[in-house]
Amino acid sequence: MASTIDDVARAAGVSTSTVSYVLSGKRPISAPTRERVERAIQALGYRPHAGARALASSRTDVLALMAPLRVDVDVAVIMQFVAGVVTAARTFDHDVLLLTSDEIAGMERVASGSMVDALVVMDVEAEDPRVPLLGRLSQPAVLIGLPRDPGPLSCVDLDFDAVGRLAVQHLADLGHRRIALIGSPRAVMERHTSYAERMIGGFTHGVAASRLEGVVEPCESSSVGAADAVDRVLARLPDVTALVVHNEVALPWVLATLRERGRDVPDDISLVAVSPPDVALGQPLPLTSIDIPARTIATVAVEMAMARVLRAEPAETRLLAPRLVLRASTTPPHA
């Protein structure tokens, strides 16, 4: 016969309401009492009925993930984040409701209808119009990105400012004095998307600190866009010896254009890719890269969201430190 919440309460020597609070996280329970209840739950194999659990705790066991599928984003990379969120949510016995539009009305409908316990929001802009609304919702929200003023919202992302500085420092240490950043599409920059702005800021500051010559060029995610970006770099800085490429879709076309222009990697020009590891490793020449750890960021976002749902923890911001992986595409500049 299946155990009930009353059985758990009797085994732990507590009231049924205390068991309910341990399960729901709605009230703080002392560590010894929580441990007794959890031991009783495990010993009895108690599993609360999903409908009763939701009713008692006002939880839905669903997280919303807002991942706008805009034409100028890399859907393959977005899906790495989505997969990471879904996988992490399952460890908390939560499902994921995916919102692929950036319309505020859809977000309001999901939140006001009490359809989800928390929201995870991607593609965050520096002055994101969603942030004020998210701050007023009863459900906690976690941003994958860093707006200028997150208010009461939690944030997690790769530290793209540090990424830009790290890429420049690596190239400067090799002896490069003239470098360029081929970055996100112009529309991403014009939206003041957080990661793109921080990447440019870190690169620019790194160039200034190392007293290098450096240029920044946006790059459309197409073969034509990549060729145009490379040609603009060569026109502005003809003796460039190193590139930082922060555009996963355009990366193969950047490499192809360099070959067409007679610039061999790494003999004539060094290249650092800012991308997920599989993208850097999937090129004809494995590229020195600063990894974008999509699944790790997604996992942290879910953990932060659940910490606020289950334990009412305060909002926080976490920026993950970048990691440079040395491969064959960066060498000292050749005479």
Side-chain angles (χ1 to χ4, degrees):
M1 181 175 176
S3 299
T4 68
I5 193 170
D6 292 327
D7 297 328
V8 174
R10 281 193 295 271
V14 299
S15 67
T16 56
S17 62
T18 298
V19 177
S20 178
Y21 292 143
V22 169
L23 292 170
S24 69
K26 290 181 70 175
R27 289 190 183 179
I29 301 296
S30 69
T33 300
R34 177 180 292 277
E35 289 171 5
R36 289 206 313 274
V37 171
E38 289 174 345
R39 285 197 299 269
I41 289 171
Q42 185 174 10
L44 295 171
Y46 173 66
R47 294 183 64 85
H49 184 272
R53 184 174 65 234
L55 181 62
S57 66
S58 298
R59 292 212 307 266
T60 64
D61 292 340
V62 178
L63 298 179
L65 172 61
M66 194 170 195
L69 297 183
R70 298 175 171 126
V71 295
D72 47 24
V73 301
D74 185 351
V75 175
V77 174
I78 291 292
M79 293 311 296
Q80 289 190 24
F81 283 95
V82 172
V85 167
V86 170
T87 301
R90 290 311 309 151
T91 67
F92 292 94
D93 292 325
H94 271 59
D95 293 312
V96 175
L97 174 64
L98 180 61
L99 307 176
T100 58
S101 169
D102 61 355
E103 293 180 358
I104 291 177
M107 185 174 64
E108 287 181 311
R109 183 175 64 255
V110 167
S112 64
S114 300
M115 297 170 63
V116 299
D117 295 331
L119 298 92
V120 177
V121 179
M122 294 183 58
D123 202 24
V124 175
E125 299 168 11
E127 303 290 346
D128 200 302
R130 297 170 294 181
V131 167
L133 171 63
L134 288 166
R136 295 192 296 269
L137 297 179
S138 58
Q139 297 95 329
V142 176
L143 307 179
I144 296 181
L146 185 63
R148 290 199 179 96
D149 181 11
L153 307 179
S154 293
C155 303
V156 59
D157 204 357
L158 181 62
D159 188 342
F160 279 99
D161 184 272
V163 169
R165 293 173 187 267
L166 178 60
V168 170
Q169 188 61 57
H170 169 62
L171 295 171
D173 289 345
L174 289 174
H176 293 276
R177 310 307 301 168
R178 292 168 293 278
I179 66 176
L181 168 63
I182 292 181
S184 300
R186 195 175 300 277
V188 171
M189 294 185 176
E190 290 175 349
R191 284 202 309 271
H192 301 287
T193 305
S194 170
Y195 68 81
E197 283 204 341
R198 288 182 284 131
M199 178 71 197
I200 293 171
F203 177 86
T204 302
H205 291 143
V207 165
S210 297
R211 299 183 179 180
L212 310 181
E213 291 183 66
V215 299
V216 177
E217 286 292 343
C219 180
E220 303 310 309
S221 300
S222 65
S223 59
V224 173
D228 287 345
V230 170
D231 288 342
R232 291 195 303 272
V233 167
L234 296 177
R236 294 178 63 188
L237 206 60
D239 49 359
V240 62
T241 61
L243 292 179
V244 179
V245 180
H246 181 206
N247 188 317
E248 301 91 351
V249 176
L251 181 58
W253 292 314
V254 168
L255 293 168
T257 302
L258 290 172
R259 288 193 298 270
E260 292 172 2
R261 304 297 185 264
R263 303 289 183 103
D264 182 66
V265 176
D267 291 339
D268 302 309
I269 194 163
S270 288
L271 191 146
V272 176
V274 180
S275 69
D278 60 305
V279 176
L281 287 169
Q283 306 308 315
L285 175 71
L287 303 177
T288 292
S289 67
I290 299 176
D291 294 340
I292 298 177
R295 286 180 177 266
T296 299
I297 294 170
T299 298
V300 173
V302 171
E303 291 172 348
M304 294 170 76
M306 294 309 302
R308 300 198 68 185
V309 169
L310 298 175
R311 299 186 296 277
E313 292 189 2
E316 61 176 317
T317 293
R318 296 189 205 173
L319 294 179
L320 307 187
R323 184 173 70 98
L324 178 76
V325 181
L326 295 175
R327 298 191 182 96
S329 66
T330 53
T331 63
H334 296 270

